[in-house]
Amino acid sequence: MTLQLQMLGTGSAFAKNYYNNNALLITPDYTLLVDCGFTGPLAMYDLGRSFEEVDAVLVTHIHADHIGGLEELAFSLRSRGARKMTLLLAEALIDPLWEHTLMGSMYQEGKITRLEDIFDVRPIVPDMPCRLSRDLTVNLIQTPHIPGKLSYSLLLNDDIFYSADMTFEPELLTNLVRNQGCRLIFHDCQLEGPGVVHTTLEELKSLPEDVRSVISLMHYGDEKPDYVGRTDGMPFLEQHVVYPLQG
Ligand SMILES: O=c1ccn([C@@H]2O[C@H](COP(=O)(O)O)[C@@H](O)[C@H]2O)c(=O)[nH]1
Ligand SMILES: [Zn+2]
Ligand SMILES: [Zn+2]
């Protein structure tokens, strides 16, 4: 397989039965970690995996279930004398990630004063495909989540959409499928209550059948077992299962 997906977790931020919604995109010669939340290091450990087999970590937005494991990731590599992890993110996220988040715990006078001291920081320009390896290209698409907080979903290899946490964007999803050849959508999904900062199951169920038919659900709460068979055919992604996506 030239591209595989393995979710480290498929849970919503405060789920207790699922790890944080973080993903490994695996190709024969390159492995990308998409987000590393506070359960990311434990999920890697439980899978028997090491951060040393990851080529880069990409951050979609600054929430603990997406970046809370970066401190352990960076310090564990550093303590082993390994390379700095490559960190891929929109330029606009660099200051919020360091100044509002990691600096508070990682700062060391004269040693760690910038994000670049602990990561090999590689900004990605949104809306411009970035080729990471022979089999993996990523395009950041800014999508709405929380007012004032930047968040970027991913278009992978031009035909796979991976949502960051986002509110419902029916025109985007429909356009991706009908006009841009998107053949798979992995979407965050709030099963109960009003969406507010996420897309709800009811909203996704309102999409036309040709769009629904390519959607798989992730970033769900502990009530997920009650919803199996009640999603109008949209399957739940399962954490730790390896899914072939291409090849
Ligand atoms: O009222 C709230 C509740 C939670 N948060 C923060 O949001 C994230 C959870 O993010 P998701 O987008 O739901 O995955 C978590 O870090 C909470 O601290 C909030 O800002 N306001
Ligand atoms: Zn989240
Ligand atoms: Zn979020």
Side-chain angles (χ1 to χ4, degrees):
M1 287 297 153
T2 56
L3 180 60
Q4 297 174 315
L5 170 71
Q6 184 175 38
M7 301 300 292
L8 295 189
T10 51
S12 58
F14 302 150
K16 295 292 171 273
N17 296 328
Y18 308 102
Y19 297 99
N20 298 154
N21 200 87
N22 307 157
L24 287 171
L25 291 165
I26 304 162
T27 78
D29 60 0
Y30 189 92
T31 297
L32 177 68
L33 172 59
V34 178
D35 290 325
C36 184
F38 53 90
T39 67
L42 180 60
M44 287 288 283
Y45 176 85
D46 285 347
L47 282 168
R49 291 190 177 274
S50 155
F51 287 124
E52 287 184 51
E53 57 189 275
V54 171
D55 291 281
V57 58
L58 184 152
V59 166
T60 61
H61 69 292
I62 315 295
H63 264 159
D65 55 322
H66 301 266
I67 52 94
L70 289 178
E71 176 180 335
E72 180 172 343
L73 181 160
F75 276 145
S76 62
L77 288 178
R78 190 181 171 92
S79 68
R80 289 202 288 273
R83 74 196 150 90
K84 282 186 213 166
M85 178 62 74
T86 298
L87 175 65
L88 305 169
L89 74 178
E91 185 140 29
L93 292 183
I94 293 177
D95 279 356
L97 179 59
W98 177 245
E99 288 172 19
H100 301 169
T101 309
L102 294 179
M103 185 171 83
S105 55
M106 301 190 79
Y107 180 85
Q108 290 178 22
E109 198 172 29
K111 284 189 176 170
I112 302 176
T113 62
R114 308 170 308 149
L115 196 56
E116 290 77 3
D117 291 327
I118 44 165
F119 287 100
D120 174 15
V121 180
R122 306 276 180 92
I124 298 187
V125 179
D127 299 318
M128 196 170 286
C130 174
R131 189 162 194 228
L132 300 178
S133 76
R134 194 188 54 187
D135 301 301
L136 186 58
T137 297
V138 63
N139 193 352
L140 298 184
I141 301 173
Q142 190 183 330
T143 43
H145 181 27
I146 287 184
K149 179 180 284 294
L150 289 169
S151 183
Y152 298 89
S153 295
L154 313 179
L155 187 60
L156 305 165
N157 293 353
D158 288 332
D159 60 3
I160 302 168
F161 182 77
Y162 179 100
S163 82
D165 299 349
M166 62 184 274
T167 51
F168 191 40
E169 287 285 292
E171 293 83 13
L172 171 69
L173 300 174
T174 304
N175 184 49
L176 280 167
V177 172
R178 293 189 177 167
N179 304 319
Q180 294 193 48
C182 181
R183 58 183 182 83
L184 293 171
I185 293 176
F186 302 109
H187 210 296
D188 62 310
C189 178
Q190 184 168 317
L191 297 171
E192 294 181 345
V196 189
V197 301
H198 286 282
T199 298
T200 65
L201 175 59
E202 288 309 307
E203 288 170 326
L204 291 173
K205 284 166 83 171
S206 74
L207 289 164
E209 201 278 332
D210 60 323
V211 180
R212 258 190 354 255
S213 68
V214 303
I215 294 179
S216 297
L217 309 175
M218 59 183 189
H219 203 293
Y220 43 76
D222 288 333
E223 63 278 17
K224 176 252 191 178
D226 300 336
Y227 285 83
V228 173
R230 296 169 56 195
T231 61
D232 281 0
M234 294 176 284
F236 287 103
L237 269 186
E238 303 290 345
Q239 61 188 23
H240 299 188
V241 172
V242 177
Y243 294 94
L245 302 186
Q246 232 152 26

